[in-house]
């Protein structure tokens, strides 16, 4: 089976590594920066092709889109038009408005597209979902999601990322919908910029908090920062009337207790998303290959779910900009 990877920057090269290690998978790749493509290809033992069209002409079985966000719609369309299943890194498009024509195109062509939301493949988040579905936590009074980078990505990346809610928190918006099966009806967001002023200059904030109200009244908070000195920290706490469960709390959590004599967590914190979610990313790419083979992939995020998470991210960005809560329209 031949898998093509379009874009081999921070995340594309990791996907290329994971795909290349799967049995029976040959990787070909392309990047707008030919030097980057050559370096990634040498590392994973892949062939470089000029661009997505050349990859599709080479006879792909699956296309993985990991280019920067602005290029996603064009690359996804190319895969769909060629009748090739596509795994697109989140988000499907820079915002929900630009995603909807793509959703229509995918449906009209009968395309198979999935979107990279790696928490769906993380064992802790999967256990939270199982416990919620089994009713083990009772009724839920609070969900608290957290996504913190140890250090900001390059400011050039932030300039086209759509803002911290669309870039970072969108994973938590997807996770909250996926875990609870509920829709978000209102968002109130705030942000701050106490780090590098260059982040503010490209229109983003370095730290943000969104309060979500779900359609059954449950409250959820989603926090994010680019300056978490303790390490890369992604957690989700769910508190219910009968119990509390936390995903991402283990010996590598980027925190320490203020209580005397508490040694937990004893391990080294993760430095990057690639370390924190290494197993989840591997499982996600394997699920895509299974989808292409027709033997699995059910847990991958559908484009409709990805756009629903983007709608929440857009509302959070709008609330941040307006300084007022935003109600979400149904549909
Ligand atoms: N799921 C996750 O946890 C996660 C983490 C990081 C990034 N992402 C997403 O992955 C995407 C890439 O992020 P990144 O951090 O790797 O960015 P990056 O800037 O490091 O890499 C993007 C690469 O895409 C290339 N590129 C741009 N347009 C292209 C095109 N038309 N064809 C081929 N290559 C093209 C660029 O030259 C660059 O090498 C973004 O959409 C981002 O939102 C997801």
């Amino acid at each position: 089976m031949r898998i093509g990877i379009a874009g081999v920057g921070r995340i594309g090269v990791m996907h290329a590594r994971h795909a290349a290690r799967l049995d029976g998978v040959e990787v070909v790749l392309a990047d707008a920066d030919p030097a980057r493509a050559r370096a990634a290809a040498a590392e994973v033992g892949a062939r470089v092709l000029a661009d997505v069209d050349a990859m599709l002409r080479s006879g792909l079985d699956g296309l993985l889109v990991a280019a920067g966000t602005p290029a996603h719609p064009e690359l996804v369309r190319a895969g769909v038009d060629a009748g090739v299943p596509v795994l697109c890194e989140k988000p499907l498009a820079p915002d929900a408005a630009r995603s909807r024509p793509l959703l229509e195109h995918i449906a009209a062509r009968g395309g198979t597209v999935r979107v990279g939301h790696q928490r769906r493949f993380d064992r802790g988040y999967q256990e939270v979902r199982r416990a919620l579905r089994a009713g083990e936590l009772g009724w839920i009074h609070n969900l608290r999601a957290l996504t913190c980078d140890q250090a900001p990505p390059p400011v050039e990346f932030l300039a086209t990322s759509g803002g911290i809610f669309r870039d970072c928190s969108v994973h938590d918006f997807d996770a909250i919908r996926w875990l609870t099966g509920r829709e978000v009806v209102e968002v109130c967001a705030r942000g701050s910029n106490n780090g590098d002023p260059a982040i503010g200059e490209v229109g983003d904030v370095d730290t943000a908090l969104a309060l979500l109200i779900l359609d059954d009244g449950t409250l959820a908070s989603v926090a994010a920062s680019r300056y978490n000195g303790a390490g890369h920290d992604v957690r989700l706490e769910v508190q219910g009337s009968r119990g509390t469960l936390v995903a991402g709390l283990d010996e590598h959590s980027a925190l320490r207790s203020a209580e005397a004599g508490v040694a937990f967590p004893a391990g080294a914190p993760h430095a990057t998303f690639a370390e924190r979610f290494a197993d989840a990313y591997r499982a996600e790419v394997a699920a895509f290959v299974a989808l292409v083979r027709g033997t699995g992939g059910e847990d991958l995020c559908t484009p409709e779910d990805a756009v629903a998470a983007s709608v929440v991210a857009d509302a959070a960005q709008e609330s941040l900009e307006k300084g007022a809560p935003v109600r979400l329209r149904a549909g």
Side-chain angles (χ1 to χ4, degrees), residues 249-253 255-269:
L249 182 63
D250 64 12
E251 294 293 355
H252 301 285
S253 295
L255 52 83
R256 64 188 179 88
S257 171
E259 306 303 331
V262 178
F264 174 87

Side-chain angles (χ1 to χ4, degrees), residues 280-296:
Y281 288 124
R282 245 190 305 275
E284 188 174 54
V285 169
F288 178 59
V289 167
L291 181 79
V292 173
R293 288 196 171 117
T295 58

